[in-house]
């Protein structure tokens, strides 16, 4: 709730709207107890008194009635009617929309065609027709305004519901034996509620205007009772001789509708969960960099990462996702980066090319050198020239990396032509060759396929082909096989291994599976809570792990022919990276921990093999 208000008031206009509306609502609520004159008492001797006349702050109208009093009572009425109409339209329309969207099929069709029919009429005409049929009166105006807005809600909510109704969590609820009513109430409703609230908050203003419009025409509130619309209507005759009688209600309508709309926009932004973790902005093209000094290179790798620090700044919280990671990768080498989910592997990988979303991401320290050129803080144009060209990424989920509406051939050729000026024909030839390289059968036919027409394994091969499109020097593969089944995984791994041997590509392979590291990587670095806790040649780390965390991770891998044994899970959870403990972050879960593990800074010791532990399981040498 506090976050909601913080976000709402960060939007200055919404804040102003909120304050103005709050003042108006407070005045209107207090109207019955304020020392106001009776709004309906006429005094023919006091007609058209100007504002600031004694006894009449805003003057009087054509019948000598006090305008201030009429304004407040009228505003009260207008707000109440507009709000009631919005709630009624929102409830009925949403219910209709949810039923249509959830039921689907014929019921959906019947309901939506009826709704379409209502929408085909200009809605003011429809409202007029309804009032004409029911007879003038404020209640009937309310009914008319609510009725003409029901289709708007029904359409909106039905669209959202259709999208949700086919999702897995609804199927899961159905399988668990929940009835339709319970599914709608406990699964669907919480998900559409924010949309309903948003739709309502952005339409209340409209409904107040519409009711005022009907009253203006004499179809809403009936004399002597007045709402803002009928006040305007009565003042029309004296527009020139006594303009204040129309200006007063006009300004009030303007203030109400403006403030509601501004506030509604703010509410919409604040309720959007995607905006909660970041500011109300789109991510920048490259990660924000705020580092004090540039560290010395600690090695001479093709890709050399030194003391990299990356954080997320969300409100006053600081999530320290990467805390001083150093890694060196030579041409043709494959280095594994392994660790539990949330240990900072992806953020490390994305920092290399400035791809961490900012806000909230910030690179707060370190250097990333590609062939001795520091890329942290490099101009965007330079990063752009390198991304996908010298350094390419393969991500976990190929379905979300490929654009669903373009043919894979077009996406592949675009990856090439965005870095090389070649003809469309040449690009196509290259794309064909790439598909053959990643062993996609019948590549010519596949070029014109859409991503959804391919299997998961094939999509990931397309992803790899795209990464290879510009003959990169470094490929960063972030869990590229996690979404695939084991046989396809084996093929993809064989493909990557073959590529690096033939093309001398350096590979950073991110995974949480030690089984894969053993098959593919020359060296492996183990990450925990944003730091590397152990590093070394794969066989040595696998055969005798030095860090207790590494040993526990390796123990989680089942072995074929290893007989029956319990696969021990590591108890506890990784620490939250906004509250990292002092000393070793793994100590609270470690069976070898002693009190001194939770003190001071524990450094990474060793050269060929490195470990960050004061009670290692194996010696790593100097
Ligand atoms: P993994 O090792 O599973 O790839 P990540 O590198 O994605 O882990 O995440 C590292 C840490 O950064 C996690 O603890 C996560 O909570 C934090 N993190 C990632 N993205 C954000 C974000 N947008 N806002 C706040 N924290 C984030
Ligand atoms: Mg990840």
């Amino acid at each position: 709730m506090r976050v909601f208000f913080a976000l709402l008031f960060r939007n200055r206009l919404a804040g102003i709207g909120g304050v103005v509306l709050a003042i108006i609502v407070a005045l209107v609520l207090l109207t019955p107890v304020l020392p106001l004159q009776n709004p309906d008492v006429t005094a023919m001797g006091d007609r058209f008194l100007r504002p600031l006349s004694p006894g009449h702050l805003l003057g009087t109208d054509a019948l000598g009635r006090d305008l201030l009093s009429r304004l407040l009572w009228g505003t009260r009425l207008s707000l109440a009617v507009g709000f009631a109409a919005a709630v009624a339209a929102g409830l009925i329309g949403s219910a209709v929309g949810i039923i249509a969207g959830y039921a689907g099929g014929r019921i959906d069709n019947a309901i939506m065609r009826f709704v379409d029919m209502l929408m085909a009429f200009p809605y003011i005409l429809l409202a007029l027709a309804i009032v004409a049929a029911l007879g003038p009166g404020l209640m009937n105006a309310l009914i008319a305004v609510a009725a003409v807005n029901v289709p708007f809600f029904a359409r909106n909510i039905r669209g959202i519901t259709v999208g949700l109704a086919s999702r897995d969590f609804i199927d899961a609820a159905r399988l668990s034996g929940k009835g339709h009513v319970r599914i709608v109430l406990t699964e669907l409703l919480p998900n559409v509620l924010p949309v309903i609230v948003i739709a309502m908050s952005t339409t209340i203003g409209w409904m107040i205007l519409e009711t005022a419009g009907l009253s203006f025409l004499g179809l809403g509130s009936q004399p002597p009772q007045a709402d803002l619309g009928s006040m305007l209507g009565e003042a029309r005759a004296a527009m020139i001789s006594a303009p204040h009688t129309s200006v007063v209600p006009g300004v009030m309508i303007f203030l109400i509708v403006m403030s509601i709309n501004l506030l509604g926009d703010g509410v919409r932004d604040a309720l959007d969960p995607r905006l909660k973790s970041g500011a109300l902005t789109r991510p920048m093209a490259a990660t924000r960099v705020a580092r004090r000094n540039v560290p010395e290179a600690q090695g001479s790798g093709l890709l050399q990462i030194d003391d990299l620090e990356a954080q997320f700044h969300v409100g006053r919280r600081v999530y320290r996702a990467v805390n001083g990671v150093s890694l060196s990768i030579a041409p043709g080498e494959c280095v594994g980066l392994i660790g539990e989910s949330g240990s900072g592997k992806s953020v490390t990988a994305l920092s290399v090319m400035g791809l961490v979303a900012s806000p909230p991401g910030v690179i707060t320290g370190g250097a990333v050198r590609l062939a001795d050129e520091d890329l942290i803080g490099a101009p965007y144009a330079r990063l752009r020239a390198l991304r996908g060209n010298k350094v390419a990424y393969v991500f976990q989920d190929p379905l979300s990396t490929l654009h669903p509406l373009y043919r894979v051939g077009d996406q592949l050729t675009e990856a090439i032509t965005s870095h090389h000026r070649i003809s469309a024909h040449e690009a196509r030839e290259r794309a064909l060759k790439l598909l053959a390289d990643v062993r996609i059968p019948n590549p010519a036919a596949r070029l014109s396929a859409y991503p959804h027409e391919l299997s998961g394994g094939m999509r990931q091969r397309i992803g790899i082909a795209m990464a290879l499109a510009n003959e990169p020097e470094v490929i960063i593969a972030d869990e590229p096989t996690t979404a695939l089944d084991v046989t396809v995984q084996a093929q993809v791994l064989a493909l990557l291994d073959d590529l690096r041997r033939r093309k001398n590509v350096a590979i950073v392979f991110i995974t949480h599976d030690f089984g894969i590291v053993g098959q593919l990587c020359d060296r492996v670095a183990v990450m925990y809570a944003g730091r590397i806790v152990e590093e070394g040649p794969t066989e040595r780390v696998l055969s005798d792990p030095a860090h207790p965390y590494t040993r526990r991770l390796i123990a989680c891998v089942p072995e074929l022919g290893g007989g029956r044994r319990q696969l021990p899970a590591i108890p506890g959870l990784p620490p939250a990276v906004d509250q990292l403990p002092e000393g070793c972050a793994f100590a609270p879960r470690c069976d070898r921990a002693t009190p001194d593990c939770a003190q001071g800074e524990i450094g990474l010791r060793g050269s060929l093999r490195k470990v960050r532990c004061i009670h290692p399981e194996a010696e790593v040498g100097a």
Side-chain angles (χ1 to χ4, degrees):
M1 208 58 200
R2 266 183 45 216
V3 182
F4 173 80
F5 281 110
L7 275 175
L8 189 61
F9 281 96
R10 181 145 47 174
N11 183 339
R12 185 96 21 99
L13 283 175
I16 295 175
V19 170
V20 172
L21 191 64
I23 293 175
I24 296 177
V25 169
L27 274 179
V28 155
L29 288 179
L30 289 177
T31 301
V33 298
L34 288 179
L36 293 169
Q37 299 166 25
N38 186 326
D40 300 332
V41 171
T42 58
M44 291 318 273
D46 291 339
R47 299 177 67 209
F48 294 129
L49 285 184
R50 300 283 150 179
L52 300 181
S53 306
H56 300 286
L57 194 57
L58 293 179
T60 55
D61 71 356
L63 296 176
R65 295 173 294 196
D66 182 51
L67 263 183
L68 177 64
S69 169
R70 284 181 75 72
L71 177 76
L72 289 183
W73 284 99
T75 308
R76 192 175 152 94
L77 205 56
S78 281
L79 275 181
V81 171
F83 189 74
V87 170
L91 286 183
I92 300 173
S94 309
V96 170
I98 289 180
I99 291 172
Y102 181 73
R106 241 177 246 159
I107 300 182
D108 182 24
N109 232 327
I111 294 181
M112 288 336 275
R113 290 306 79 78
F114 182 71
V115 165
D116 288 345
M117 226 158 64
L118 285 182
M119 283 185 118
F121 292 101
Y123 60 77
I124 281 292
L125 267 188
L126 190 61
L128 283 176
I130 295 176
V131 179
L134 296 177
L138 201 53
M139 198 60 206
N140 293 343
L142 191 159
I143 294 174
V145 170
V148 297
N149 280 290
V150 162
F152 165 79
F153 280 96
R155 266 238 155 271
N156 247 343
I157 301 303
R158 182 236 172 216
I160 309 276
T161 311
V162 166
L164 289 170
S166 57
R167 295 271 284 275
D168 292 344
F169 70 93
I170 299 288
D171 288 341
R174 206 170 285 147
L175 284 178
S176 76
K178 282 191 182 175
H180 291 309
V181 175
R182 274 189 65 198
I183 293 182
V184 167
L185 289 184
T186 62
E187 308 285 336
L188 270 177
L189 198 58
N191 281 295
V192 291
L193 206 53
V195 186
I196 300 179
V197 171
I198 289 164
M200 256 194 229
S201 65
T202 45
T203 46
I204 284 187
W206 262 114
M207 302 217 194
I208 291 177
L209 272 185
E210 285 163 13
T211 338
L214 289 178
S215 289
F216 179 82
L217 298 175
L219 298 172
S221 69
Q222 299 298 310
Q225 191 190 43
D227 71 353
L228 294 173
S230 59
M231 281 177 78
L232 263 184
E234 288 166 9
R236 191 174 34 165
M239 187 101 90
I240 305 294
S241 57
H244 68 280
T245 48
S246 13
V247 168
V248 165
V251 167
M252 184 54 99
I253 291 181
F254 171 79
L255 283 180
I256 292 176
V257 175
M258 262 325 250
S259 60
I260 288 183
N261 284 353
L262 290 177
L263 185 67
D265 284 352
V267 167
R268 184 194 53 210
D269 290 348
L271 278 183
D272 189 332
R274 277 167 302 186
L275 300 173
K276 267 189 196 143
S277 61
L280 293 165
T281 49
R282 295 211 309 158
M284 307 193 304
T287 311
R288 191 156 76 80
V289 175
R291 63 174 175 180
R292 272 145 279 123
N293 51 336
V294 185
E296 297 273 307
Q298 295 164 20
S300 55
L302 167 67
L303 180 67
Q304 178 69 36
I305 303 176
D306 299 303
D307 284 330
L308 183 68
E309 278 175 30
Q311 307 180 339
F312 293 95
H313 294 181
V314 182
R316 239 170 281 136
R317 291 223 166 143
V318 173
Y319 295 85
R320 297 151 59 86
V322 179
N323 303 309
V325 165
S326 302
L327 208 58
S328 167
I329 299 110
E333 191 181 29
C334 177
V335 175
L337 198 56
I338 188 166
E340 269 169 296
S341 179
S343 52
K345 309 180 298 288
S346 297
V347 177
T348 306
L350 293 173
S351 301
V352 169
M353 280 284 116
L355 288 171
V356 180
S358 283
V362 190
I363 293 180
T364 47
V368 172
R369 296 184 175 90
L370 181 71
D372 288 334
E373 178 190 359
D374 188 8
L375 300 178
I376 299 295
Y380 173 57
R382 181 67 190 137
L383 285 178
R384 226 195 119 150
L386 291 173
R387 286 177 184 172
N389 191 16
K390 292 271 186 281
V391 179
Y393 285 85
V394 181
F395 293 106
Q396 174 173 346
D397 179 7
L399 200 52
S400 59
T401 17
L402 293 172
H403 195 300
L405 299 181
Y406 290 99
R407 299 173 194 281
V408 294
D410 295 342
Q411 302 188 47
L412 205 47
T413 45
E414 191 192 352
I416 304 169
T417 51
S418 62
H419 289 290
H420 298 278
R421 298 181 145 273
I422 57 175
S423 71
H425 177 73
E426 275 175 287
R428 196 186 137 82
E429 290 298 307
R430 263 204 66 93
L432 271 178
K433 176 150 182 330
L434 282 169
L435 288 193
D437 273 354
V438 295
R439 304 201 203 108
I440 286 198
N442 197 0
R446 289 287 164 252
L447 273 186
S448 54
Y450 288 97
H452 72 268
E453 296 173 314
L454 305 173
S455 69
M458 246 196 262
R459 280 197 290 263
Q460 193 56 292
R461 282 169 209 235
I462 306 270
I464 296 176
M466 267 167 109
L468 291 175
N470 299 302
E471 312 225 307
E473 292 167 3
V474 180
I475 292 184
I476 298 177
D478 191 350
E479 312 213 24
T481 58
T482 306
L484 307 177
D485 64 66
V486 276
T487 44
V488 181
Q489 166 174 315
Q491 293 165 5
V492 169
L493 291 182
L495 178 67
L496 280 172
D497 196 41
D498 179 53
L499 285 170
R500 79 169 163 122
R501 287 185 204 290
R502 278 195 295 132
K503 306 202 167 175
N504 212 28
V505 187
I507 298 182
V508 180
F509 195 95
I510 296 174
T511 176
H512 54 249
D513 184 348
F514 251 113
I516 297 182
V517 169
Q519 291 172 40
L520 187 68
C521 302
D522 310 310
R523 266 189 313 129
V524 58
V526 183
M527 265 189 98
Y528 188 78
R531 314 187 114 169
I532 291 185
V533 294
E534 174 160 9
E535 192 189 323
T538 309
E539 299 94 69
R540 301 245 334 254
V541 173
L542 277 177
S543 62
D544 60 333
H547 199 287
Y549 178 61
T550 318
R551 173 177 56 82
R552 307 286 284 270
L553 266 189
I554 293 174
C556 297
V557 181
E559 284 164 64
L560 266 189
R564 267 169 184 255
R565 69 179 173 102
Q566 196 139 27
L567 292 177
I570 308 179
L573 288 173
V577 289
D578 56 335
Q579 300 159 354
L580 285 180
E582 210 191 325
C584 174
F586 186 61
R589 301 167 75 187
C590 182
D591 48 8
R592 296 169 74 92
T594 55
D596 46 344
C597 288
Q599 276 163 18
E601 172 74 19
I602 296 171
L604 197 60
R605 293 181 292 120
S607 55
L608 182 61
R609 274 197 76 179
K610 297 178 187 155
V611 66
R612 191 190 292 277
C613 181
I614 48 180
H615 305 297
E617 310 230 350
E619 269 318 313
V620 294

